[in-house]
């Protein structure tokens, strides 16, 4: 890897963020580009297209030689902004991913703040989409500009900014099919939509859990009956449900019974969890607990959240509220289950195993239905090439003053798994700017501006490393 002058990169990044990025990013925040899942009339409202056009116009204005920016909008699909920058003398194609769609406002914002109102307070830029993740395209292009200003080299750079990530990226696979020929040689994927544990270092997302969400309905009778008349004659549907759920998860320990839903934890992920626990102890303290945590060990709690399967009942149908509940024995009860799966478990295999376990040899021959499935596959980062390890070490020394650290996430990001399958030979750097203080998806969302600038410097170093490896 050819070393780059980081002092020049830092100066160029600071200048570009102050003069170019902040005014345009503030304008992007003002666009209520709510993701399609939360706005059925998104096409008529035109805000997703407005956000893509806003970002495209800025990209074309900043003067990067040879830059092309096109908004693609196939019939019925959310817009996709594709920005391509030709190489400046290096090899390799870097694909940088971000998104422009946003969560809805979701609750009351603090005085003086609002979802579509960009406000800078101290080191933070407030507004919906600031950190999740309107900053991403700006950071990518500012990194290219700063790298060139510092005399570094980059290969071909392609920036993809979709407008339906908050809806599960339903349109991205088709767009990637359309772009398959032009994106056949991707050697580095940089994802900028993930989370970080703090703003002291570069955090690398090393794994993402998958998910299986389903509704399970148990029916024992066609109607509810007075419990004094039917109790002991009709089986209680909630008891049947409890027995069935024990086929998935041991209710005494929380351990998953079905082998298809478990996976071995790689040694390197155990090491990462121990490192994270040492850097940020008292993992459970950030939650409003009124009980003990699920384990006494911070490392084990992290592994529980990132590599072990968990089950949460997120919805219940068939029972009335406790206040005013009548003494009826109900004929049917349904729960909505959210199962988080280990990164290496295929969600389709998990769905088959769960459906089979819940619908075979059912107590009392009750009717059990498993419906409305939503499946998300997890992801485990591939091994790093020596050139990437060297580049990350340099970024730790020159940009953050601390070595990077790995972090597994308990949730899923569908597009990362998708890109992992598309580019099995590529190196991956999945990171972001969203810490717990960023209020991602919540009121008072904000972007830490100094961290965003350091992340921009890191992207410049990665581009240089991929081009000169």
């Amino acid at each position: 890897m050819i070393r780059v002058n980081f002092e020049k990169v830092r100066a160029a990044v600071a200048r570009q963020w102050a003069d170019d990025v902040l005014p345009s990013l503030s304008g992007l925040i003002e666009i209520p580009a709510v993701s399609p899942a939360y706005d059925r009339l998104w096409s008529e409202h035109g805000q997703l297209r407005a956000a893509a056009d806003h970002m495209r116009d800025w990209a074309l204005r900043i003067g990067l030689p040879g830059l092309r920016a096109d908004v693609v909008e196939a019939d019925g699909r959310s817009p996709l902004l594709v920005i391509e920058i030709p190489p400046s003398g290096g090899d390799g194609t870097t694909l940088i991913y971000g998104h422009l769609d946003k969560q809805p406002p979701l609750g009351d914002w603090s005085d003086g703040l609002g979802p579509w109102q960009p406000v800078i307070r101290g080191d933070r830029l407030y507004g919906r989409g600031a950190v999740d993740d309107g900053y991403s395209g700006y950071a990518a292009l500012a990194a290219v500009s700063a790298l060139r200003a510092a005399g570094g080299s980059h290969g071909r750079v392609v920036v993809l900014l979709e407008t339906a990530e908050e809806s599960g990226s339903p349109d991205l696979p088709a767009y990637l099919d359309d772009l398959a020929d032009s994106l056949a040689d991707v050697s580095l994927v940089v994802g900028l939509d993930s989370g970080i544990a703090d703003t002291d270092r570069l955090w690398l997302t090393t794994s993402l859990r998958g998910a299986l969400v389903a509704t399970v309905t148990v029916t024992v009778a066609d109607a509810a009956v007075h419990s004094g008349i039917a109790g002991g004659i009709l089986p209680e549907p909630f008891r049947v449900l409890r027995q069935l759920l024990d086929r998935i998860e041991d209710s005494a320990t929380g351990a998953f019974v079905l082998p298809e839903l478990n996976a071995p934890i790689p040694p390197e992920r155990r090491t990462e969890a121990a490192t994270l626990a040492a850097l940020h102890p008292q993992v459970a303290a950030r939650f409003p607990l009124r009980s003990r945590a699920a384990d006494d060990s911070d490392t084990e709690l992290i592994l529980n959240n990132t590599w072990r399967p968990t089950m949460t009942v997120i919805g219940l149908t068939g029972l009335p509220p406790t206040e005013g509940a009548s003494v009826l024995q109900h004929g049917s009860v349904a729960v909505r289950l959210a199962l988080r799966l280990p990164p290496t478990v295929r969600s389709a295999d998990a769905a088959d195993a769960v459906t089979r376990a819940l619908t075979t040899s059912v107590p009392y021959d009750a009717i059990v239905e498993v419906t409305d499935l939503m499946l998300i596959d997890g992801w485990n980062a591939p091994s790093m090439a020596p050139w990437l390890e060297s580049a990350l070490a340099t970024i730790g020394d020159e940009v953050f003053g601390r070595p990077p650290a790995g972090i597994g996430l308990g949730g899923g990001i569908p597009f990362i798994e998708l890109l992992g399958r598309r580019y099995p030979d590529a190196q991956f750097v999945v990171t972001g700017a969203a810490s717990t203080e960023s209020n991602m998806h919540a009121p008072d969302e904000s972007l830490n501006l100094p961290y965003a600038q350091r992340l921009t410097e890191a992207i410049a170093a990665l581009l240089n490393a991929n081009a000169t490896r």
Side-chain angles (χ1 to χ4, degrees), residues 417-439:
E417 186 277 333
L418 170 61
L419 294 176
R421 281 189 285 111
R422 293 274 177 160
Y423 307 112
D425 298 325
Q427 293 290 289
F428 277 74
V429 174
V430 180
T431 186
S435 65
T436 54
E437 292 80 16
S438 301
N439 288 339

Side-chain angles (χ1 to χ4, degrees), residues 272-463:
E272 286 174 0
T275 300
L276 178 59
L279 289 170
H280 291 277
Q282 298 183 319
V283 170
R286 67 178 186 266
F287 299 100
L289 274 173
R290 295 293 295 272
S291 66
R292 289 188 294 109
D295 199 284
D296 295 330
S297 163
D298 284 333
T299 299
E300 293 306 309
L301 288 175
I302 292 170
L303 292 172
N304 285 349
N305 179 248
T306 58
W307 271 90
R308 296 189 179 108
T310 57
M311 182 172 71
T312 306
V313 177
I314 61 172
L316 175 64
T317 302
L319 298 178
T322 55
E323 183 178 353
S326 179
V327 285
L328 292 175
Q329 181 157 335
H330 296 274
S332 179
V333 66
V335 291
R336 185 73 170 162
L337 300 178
L339 279 65
R340 295 291 180 176
L341 307 172
T344 53
V345 168
R346 292 185 66 249
S347 59
D349 294 340
D352 289 343
V354 166
T355 301
R356 187 167 54 250
L358 296 180
T359 58
T360 303
S361 301
V362 176
Y364 306 105
D365 293 328
I367 299 171
V368 177
E369 299 170 284
V370 181
T371 58
D372 299 328
L373 274 69
M374 182 182 76
L375 306 180
I376 298 174
D377 282 330
W379 175 78
N380 186 33
S383 299
M384 282 189 193
W387 70 265
L388 181 55
E389 289 184 339
S390 176
L392 291 171
T394 299
I395 289 169
D397 291 338
E398 300 285 352
V399 179
F400 291 94
R402 294 178 175 85
I407 183 172
L409 296 188
I413 306 178
F415 70 84
I416 292 296
E417 186 277 333
L418 170 61
L419 294 176
R421 281 189 285 111
R422 293 274 177 160
Y423 307 112
D425 298 325
Q427 293 290 289
F428 277 74
V429 174
V430 180
T431 186
S435 65
T436 54
E437 292 80 16
S438 301
N439 288 339
M440 183 177 65
H441 291 200
D444 298 353
E445 177 183 339
S446 67
L447 172 69
N448 183 304
L449 294 173
Y451 189 81
Q453 292 187 41
R454 288 196 295 272
L455 185 54
T456 303
E457 296 171 32
I459 297 168
L462 289 169
L463 293 173

Side-chain angles (χ1 to χ4, degrees), residues 218 220 235-245 362-364 366:
V218 175
V220 299
E236 219 296 314
F238 201 86
R239 180 161 62 90
V240 175
L241 179 63
R242 283 160 46 204
Q243 294 178 57
L244 292 174
L245 294 184
V362 176
Y364 306 105

